[in-house]
Amino acid sequence: MNEFSITRRMLRRIGRGIPASAPLAKAAVEWAQPHVGWLFGMGPQDPAELAWDQLLAGVEQTPANDEPRPHVLLLAEELVALLALDAFDAALLTIMIACDRLPRVAALAAVAGRHGHDLPGLLGELSGADPHDAERRVRCSTVLRLGLVGFVANRQGEVTVDVRWALERLLDRAPAAGTAMIDTLVGVRQPASLALDDFAHIDDADFLVRLLAGAARERAAGINILVHGPPGTGKTEFARTIAAAAGIDLHAIGEADDDGEEPTRWERVSALGLAQRVLGPRGGAALLFDEMEDLIGGARPGDGDWFAKREGSKVFVNRMLETNPVPVIWTTNAIGNVDDAILRRMSFVLKLGLPPRSAALRMLDRIALDESVETSADLVHLIDRAPETATVLRVTARASRLAGLNAASIQPAESLVRALRDGELPIDGPDALDIDLFETDIPLAPLLAAMRDSAQADVSLLLTGAPGTGKTAFAHHCARSLDRPLIVKRASDLLSKWVGETEARIADAFREARIRGGVLLFDEVDSILFDRTTARATWEVTQVNEMLTWLDRHPLPVIAATNHPGKLDPATLRRFVFKLRLRPLGQARAALAFKRFFGSEAPRALDSLTNLTPGDFSVVARQLRHLPARSSLDIVERLECESAAKPECGTRIGF
């Protein structure tokens, strides 16, 4: 089928039983006059010599020519083979592309439409349908159901062919047959830039890889994986990684093209159906539908068993999820917008949170290598302070490279983290301390190692001791050792003047820890878990009860710290697996702390100070930044001042 054969068939059909005096005949002759030579295989003719009967006779008598087919018709032929269309749909698709892309065919179709011909019915007859059934077959055709083409009425009410988003992109780009055509029609392949090891913190990653591989191997239908979580947690990159690990290609569905043209909801849904049609028979592929909200519109849970603002048919969506021949990985930021009917049809639902520190550092190393920049200690420190940094590592590294820097700069990362947090950066935690500097009855290093290696994470620790003994620093060290984020809750974060609000905030704190998989630290916990016999109101008792109840059933590490253990409710102690009392440093650890903080052996004079804590050494170390010491004895004198400032004054020494 070429342009000439399409035009001749259309002229034959619209000229059937039409007298020369009819407006359609006159319009057709007017259209034909500039194309007489092409129509009749002869040189240019005088337009005045052409009559309606001559036009019809010439069309009947002129044999088919063998002119080269336009490239759009060659693309149509490749697409027909790719989609395995039957004869009717193959002819219909070719003719509709011709009506859109070939000026002579388009003009003749417009003439027919303006003069009473129903365009869908006309094109259906030209494609081989019976006249009485032509329009119905067109409306129910595969090419229309796949969203490749359609019909649209202009302002004058004339119906014209509408080539839709996916096919328009194919015709505009004119790719070569095979892989290039599939990628253009379905969506670009999504290469993985991270390895499965970068997602080692996701326990279900290996299962999802096996699920995708098994679905591809057995050509299983109805396989859907939903990955949800806050923006920037790496949902798309995770999808790319598990597909690559499963050995299958991942195609992104219905995303903006190179010209920035944004598809509508219906265009994305049609692109999904088209991709299933193209890739289903071939196997070895999965589809990525980012932002699942586009599938159901701006749905919101309603007051009853329904969702407000949902677009499209619920039955259509449900059946599509049950029958899709190619596995689909869906992503969304808000699972609350997805109703239960959709969730029940998922093969797996994964909550993706911020990566732990070790995974973030692996990502940083890999991304820095990809972008040809070095990592920086400042960026590592920002990861410790704000786990959100892991979500902006690639843009940070790229911005640093483009700015001509050799190392990934903290500046773009800080600006992005501030924006994500809608305010200031988190306050610095305590500097890392050597675990050997903690003075306690239970050796901490073996305890942390056992906690890290245990399959059970429901461990709780009560840290008591004077200020500066390292309770908060130990909590930070413990979280880093367990490779979990530290979630700090102080009395100001939890206590409220409204009845019931404190209990709600306590419950929210434990919920946040579960969602983020973090270590929960209650600083100055005596403000919450005070002795209930001292309560002056019933609501004070209920907040203690709320806290104790959550401590009993929380499945993740909890640390509570207090300077005043005597104020705690007696029932508190049995809720904590380990009770660790941090004491001031003995002589051996004080000497070790001196060497670690100041880089030299401790003078003998240090032995006379009996109540030094790691916090005292940290304060003096900060003093040295602004006022350097004259000697080691000068440092000891400063430590003595810190010791003497405490309520329980230490032993004074003289020289």
Side-chain angles (χ1 to χ4, degrees), residues 462-466 471 522-526 560-565 568:
L462 176 63
L463 306 180
T464 62
K471 298 183 294 296
F522 291 102
D523 213 356
E524 304 302 336
V525 74
D526 52 278
T562 179
N563 299 334
H564 308 289
L568 295 175

Side-chain angles (χ1 to χ4, degrees), residues 278-411:
V278 172
L279 297 175
R282 289 164 175 77
L287 303 175
L288 171 64
F289 198 104
D290 251 333
E291 308 299 340
M292 190 182 188
E293 294 86 343
D294 284 352
L295 179 69
I296 54 177
R300 295 290 186 276
D303 295 333
D305 186 21
W306 57 276
F307 273 63
K309 298 184 179 180
R310 177 169 181 163
E311 299 177 16
S313 166
K314 182 175 181 179
V315 173
F316 170 79
V317 172
N318 292 347
R319 295 297 173 266
M320 180 179 62
L321 295 172
E322 293 169 352
T323 60
N324 54 301
V326 180
V328 182
I329 303 176
W330 310 84
T331 74
T332 181
N333 297 333
I335 195 174
N337 291 344
V338 183
D339 63 58
D340 291 346
I342 291 178
L343 291 179
R344 284 194 295 269
R345 287 167 171 82
M346 292 292 147
S347 308
F348 200 96
V349 178
L350 175 68
K351 163 71 175 179
L352 201 60
L354 295 172
R357 181 177 186 271
S358 60
L361 294 181
R362 287 196 301 270
M363 292 180 183
L364 175 59
D365 290 339
R366 190 180 299 274
I367 290 170
L369 182 63
D370 291 344
E371 297 294 334
S372 300
V373 295
E374 298 177 0
T375 59
S376 67
D378 288 340
L379 203 52
V380 172
H381 183 55
L382 185 60
I383 290 173
D384 289 335
R385 295 166 59 196
E388 299 93 334
T389 308
T391 68
V392 298
L393 291 176
R394 187 166 295 280
V395 291
T396 295
R398 185 169 301 165
S400 302
R401 175 176 58 79
L402 293 174
L405 303 177
N406 294 326
S409 172
I410 195 175
Q411 289 175 269

